[in-house]
Amino acid sequence: MTEADTKPVSTDTLDKLAATVAQQKAMERGPTFLPHGCRLFRVETGWEGNMIQRDKGVVTCDTLLSLEAAIRDEDVKVVFIPLDAIFSDADIEKVCQRNGVTKTLFKEVKSP
């Protein structure tokens, strides 16, 4: 074993790994296909939602205005919609239809 093999893993690395696992777990449940290639995945509250929301590459949107801004922003690829967001699935679909861009969206839902 070398010294590099025994170095502790950084918190950032662990957070990134956990966010990736949470996204993969949500994606396993299958998407809802929205206009222009957007995909909406359901994410259970708890560790999955927390880890995706903490990911630095994910934009959290809890209002329709913030969702519209994130969908229009070319740099945003992944959007997280928390459980307490104040808009519906129909609103999400309208925003995707209006903007004609492809994004990946994760919407938090109550755990069964």
Side-chain angles (χ1 to χ4, degrees):
M1 265 180 126
T2 66
E3 184 178 321
D5 294 332
T6 60
K7 285 186 179 179
V9 179
S10 74
T11 303
D12 287 344
T13 301
L14 290 175
D15 282 351
K16 186 171 278 198
L17 177 62
T20 300
V21 170
Q23 288 183 16
Q24 290 297 324
K25 190 161 177 60
M27 288 178 169
E28 285 175 2
R29 292 184 199 102
T32 298
F33 292 101
L34 301 172
H36 302 290
C38 287
R39 298 173 306 156
L40 176 66
F41 296 95
R42 310 288 177 192
V43 178
E44 293 182 2
T45 56
W47 78 270
E48 285 182 36
N50 290 337
M51 293 316 303
I52 292 172
Q53 190 170 18
R54 288 174 50 185
D55 187 336
K56 292 178 176 104
V58 175
V59 174
T60 299
C61 300
D62 58 356
T63 66
L64 203 50
L65 190 58
S66 64
L67 178 64
E68 185 91 36
I71 296 293
R72 289 183 179 184
D73 187 335
E74 292 178 11
D75 294 330
V76 174
K77 304 294 183 224
V78 180
V79 175
F80 178 78
I81 302 163
L83 184 62
D84 61 352
I86 53 175
F87 50 87
S88 68
D89 286 1
D91 294 327
I92 296 168
E93 189 169 347
K94 288 176 192 172
V95 170
C96 291
Q97 179 66 42
R98 226 182 359 251
N99 289 286
V101 293
T102 302
K103 304 284 179 171
T104 300
L105 300 102
F106 292 96
K107 182 177 181 189
E108 190 172 37
V109 296
K110 288 185 179 181
S111 300

